[in-house]
Amino acid sequence: MHRRFPSFLVSLSSFFVVFTVLFSCKTEPPARLDAQSLIPLPVSVTATDSTFELTKNTAIYVPEGNEEVKKIGQYLVDLLKVPTGLEPELKSTSQVPSGHIALTLTPGDAELGEEGYALSITAQGIQLAAAKPAGLFRGIQTLRQALPARAEADHLQKGPWLVPTGTIRDYPTYAYRGAMLDVARHFFGVDDVKRYIDLIAAYKMNALHLHLSDDQGWRIEIKSWPNLTAHGSKSAVGGAEGGFYTQEQYADLVRYAQDRYIIIVPEIDMPGHTNAALASYPELNCDGKARELYTGIEVGFSTLCTGKEITYKFVDDVVRELAALTPGPYIHLGGDESHVTKMEDYIPFVNRVQDIVQAHGKQLIGWDEVTNASLKPTSVAQFWAKAEYAKSAADRNVKLIVSPAKKAYLDMQYDSTTQYGLHWAAYIEVDSAYSWDPATMVPGVTKDHILGIEAPLWTETLAKIDEVEYMAFPRLLGLAEIGWTPASARSWDEYKVRLGNHYSRLKAKRINFYQSERVPWAKGE
Ligand code: NGO
């Protein structure tokens, strides 16, 4: 809401803003490294009392002959280029003179694992080291947050580009840290998904789960069953325009994510949530009659015909094509809310699709109801609703992805005044989304049973990417921190200040975020 001020006050205050920007940013030192409001909070940060300045003479050094690290170096160059106007030269050598940024691999540093990194910043240069390339990529996200917020802008900004000095050693608590986007209820095109990938990458998430089919639409080209998209992709909630990804577009998304060390987990929901498939192929229905396309938001009314052999041919074809497009280890086959599938049909169905997924060299993920079946230890259950299902998975050594609807569902409204979203599970304010621990959610389910955490975003009420952003941000930052930072180091009272300090960073990224009153937003910085 805009208030009206007398115009002389407006011009006086703009004078002071311009004055402050012009005369203070040259001299203003950055906050110390341990006061940089990093999200997720690193495992350890030690600050020293100096600064490194990124200038037009700064180069980025990568190890000779390592194309993968060179690509990560190029990613850093591309991040810096537009806002700073600097285009650091990429150099391959083992001899790094002072005054530069060096990316190095230290494979012997086992504590850093797959994604950890060690960052050392002195007045003379920046050293980023990791055991694996993914760790370098994660470390770059920290370096971004150690730079001024204006380094996130999409147009040229004024320097200087000062980074506070010190060291950081950091690695994640959970191996799987994901976000889910439902592109079935409303369809989101390749560019929207790429933006979402960039946003989750900035907070060190490593998985994007795409909910690619539901009653309202089928969103991925399957060459052996072409009517799934020729017909089943045309609808969306409320009569909105449908759409789908061709396999080429999908492969492009997979590569884009891979370059950011993010896996895409494709989900084809079954045996329920299948109306779009049932409308496209009559033979998938027990009565042999095609269903009408569906644009409402009810759930639990559709089912594949589990007794027909053609159903398994269909599943096998779909999984084969998806597996060929998926470098990551997982295929998600839904399994939720199959209210019109009898339990005696549901269980053998899930057992059989689990075999199909394994036959194509992948691991099955399913929503928590799949624990009714005989899950193999390589399969993963996604806890969203029922604690007893999560417990039953843990008892059988089936790993869990934790996404409790009451805490992690990004489509839940913040409060009763939120414009979009649902509230069937809860209203989830920013503090509530942050203040919980996956390892103590369900009695009998401990950290060792948990592969990680995921923040699902269902889109029954969200038609545009800025609406998606409004629901995801800022809660997604907190959920990313739950996945990364040790629970013992987290507290809402401390986190809310760090989050508040991200105000200008979120603005610079042009994220449409919810400005919760529970967060002390640092609007002036
Ligand atoms: C449920 C349901 C989805 C809805 C969502 C809305 C799961 C796993 N199945 O979560 O179909 O879109 O709630 O919040």
Side-chain angles (χ1 to χ4, degrees):
M1 223 168 291
H2 294 277
R3 298 220 185 100
R4 292 198 164 273
F5 292 107
S7 61
F8 74 90
L9 271 186
V10 174
S11 36
L12 198 64
S13 66
S14 10
F15 170 77
F16 279 115
V17 170
V18 172
F19 183 86
T20 329
V21 169
L22 279 182
F23 294 96
S24 66
C25 72
K26 272 269 174 224
T27 47
E28 196 69 18
R32 282 163 54 98
L33 191 62
D34 53 4
Q36 277 290 308
S37 296
L38 303 171
I39 297 178
L41 188 70
V43 171
S44 79
V45 181
T46 313
T48 51
D49 288 314
S50 189
T51 51
F52 172 78
E53 184 172 1
L54 193 72
T55 68
K56 62 179 183 356
N57 300 320
T58 311
I60 297 174
Y61 283 81
V62 292
E64 242 163 340
N66 191 319
E67 281 307 307
E68 191 174 356
V69 176
K70 192 167 174 199
K71 205 162 162 187
I72 296 171
Q74 186 59 47
Y75 167 86
L76 177 57
V77 174
D78 293 343
L79 282 179
L80 296 170
K81 199 160 52 185
V82 171
T84 66
L86 307 170
E87 196 172 339
E89 203 184 328
L90 255 192
K91 296 188 177 179
S92 301
T93 176
S94 49
Q95 296 302 315
V96 184
S98 83
H100 299 285
I101 299 175
L103 309 184
T104 55
L105 286 177
T106 47
D109 195 343
E111 191 193 33
L112 295 180
E114 287 294 316
E115 297 178 277
Y117 63 93
L119 185 61
S120 159
I121 306 165
T122 67
Q124 285 75 44
I126 297 181
Q127 275 261 4
L128 175 59
K132 297 278 174 64
L136 294 175
F137 187 86
R138 305 290 176 241
I140 285 177
Q141 308 313 316
T142 304
L143 184 56
R144 278 172 92 169
Q145 292 187 17
L147 279 158
R150 59 187 190 282
E152 296 295 335
D154 57 7
H155 56 286
L156 184 63
Q157 303 289 306
K158 279 213 167 70
W161 301 103
L162 300 176
V163 186
T165 55
T167 56
I168 295 180
R169 229 184 128 73
D170 196 18
Y171 40 84
T173 293
Y174 290 105
Y176 183 103
R177 303 172 311 280
M180 188 207 82
L181 186 60
D182 168 11
V183 295
R185 271 52 177 274
H186 280 99
F187 180 65
F188 296 87
V190 168
D191 289 346
D192 286 344
V193 177
K194 285 185 175 172
R195 172 159 167 91
Y196 208 61
I197 289 172
D198 278 325
L199 294 178
I200 70 171
Y203 304 101
K204 301 188 174 68
M205 282 189 166
N206 64 5
L208 177 68
H209 165 186
L210 287 177
H211 185 74
L212 290 167
S213 70
D214 211 301
D215 292 320
Q216 297 85 349
W218 186 283
R219 308 296 180 210
I220 173 83
E221 177 188 21
I222 299 295
K223 298 201 177 182
S224 52
W225 293 72
N227 215 34
L228 291 170
T229 44
H231 183 63
S233 77
K234 302 281 189 234
S235 45
V237 166
E241 209 180 323
F244 68 95
Y245 311 115
T246 63
Q247 292 203 355
E248 290 67 31
Q249 288 173 325
Y250 187 81
D252 177 39
L253 281 178
V254 168
R255 267 193 309 273
Y256 192 84
Q258 217 172 12
D259 287 346
R260 286 148 186 80
Y261 296 88
I262 289 175
I263 56 165
I264 293 197
V265 177
E267 178 187 356
I268 298 295
D269 207 343
M270 60 180 72
H273 289 278
T274 40
N275 188 76
L278 299 169
S280 306
Y281 286 97
E283 58 269 45
L284 296 176
N285 297 275
C286 284
D287 63 8
K289 292 188 190 131
R291 299 295 183 261
E292 291 297 312
L293 292 174
Y294 181 69
T295 60
I297 62 167
E298 294 301 311
V299 294
F301 60 86
S302 55
T303 184
L304 292 174
C305 189
T306 58
K308 277 186 172 177
E309 234 3 75
I310 183 84
T311 297
Y312 300 94
K313 164 96 175 82
F314 166 76
V315 176
D316 189 69
D317 286 340
V318 169
V319 172
R320 177 172 33 79
E321 292 195 34
L322 272 184
L325 288 164
T326 303
Y330 305 113
I331 303 259
H332 200 308
L333 286 184
D336 57 320
E337 299 175 320
S338 279
H339 302 323
V340 295
T341 322
K342 292 198 188 91
M343 195 49 88
E344 64 259 38
D345 297 333
Y346 178 86
I347 290 171
F349 175 84
V350 173
N351 289 341
R352 204 160 157 189
V353 301
Q354 175 176 245
D355 289 342
I356 293 173
V357 170
Q358 296 215 324
H360 291 289
K362 299 292 172 188
Q363 292 169 253
L364 173 102
I365 306 182
W367 296 104
D368 59 29
E369 292 94 322
V370 296
T371 55
N372 284 301
S374 310
L375 294 186
K376 307 208 161 129
T378 47
S379 294
V380 176
Q382 185 163 8
F383 167 49
W384 67 283
K386 281 209 177 158
E388 62 258 41
Y389 287 151
K391 171 80 167 61
S392 137
D395 288 346
R396 287 180 281 160
N397 275 325
V398 167
K399 287 269 189 288
L400 286 156
I401 292 173
V402 174
S403 311
K406 285 179 193 323
K407 291 290 184 186
Y409 267 31
L410 295 173
D411 57 315
M412 290 300 121
Q413 294 171 313
Y414 295 97
D415 64 25
S416 63
T417 68
T418 308
Q419 229 178 317
Y420 325 105
L422 307 169
H423 55 259
W424 65 264
Y427 291 116
I428 310 179
E429 249 294 354
V430 181
D431 54 347
S432 171
Y434 180 81
S435 306
W436 62 284
D437 177 2
T440 58
M441 271 305 263
V442 178
V445 175
T446 62
K447 186 169 173 283
D448 291 342
H449 299 120
I450 299 174
L451 187 62
I453 166 176
E454 188 179 285
L457 212 176
W458 302 94
T459 58
E460 286 96 326
T461 65
L462 309 166
K464 301 208 173 69
I465 196 69
D466 58 314
E467 297 167 3
V468 163
E469 285 180 16
Y470 185 81
M471 298 309 285
F473 293 91
R475 289 182 291 197
L476 188 132
L477 280 68
L479 292 157
E481 176 154 309
I482 295 176
W484 183 279
T485 306
S488 56
R490 297 196 291 107
S491 91
W492 166 252
D493 284 335
E494 184 274 332
Y495 171 72
K496 72 178 178 195
V497 177
R498 261 185 299 128
L499 178 59
N501 287 338
H502 274 243
Y503 181 86
S504 38
R505 241 166 246 286
L506 297 170
K507 284 282 179 195
K509 287 183 203 277
R510 297 187 195 278
I511 296 176
N512 181 32
F513 64 101
Y514 164 60
Q515 293 184 31
S516 169
E517 284 178 4
R518 301 191 187 184
V519 178
W521 298 108
K523 295 193 181 178
E525 287 147 45

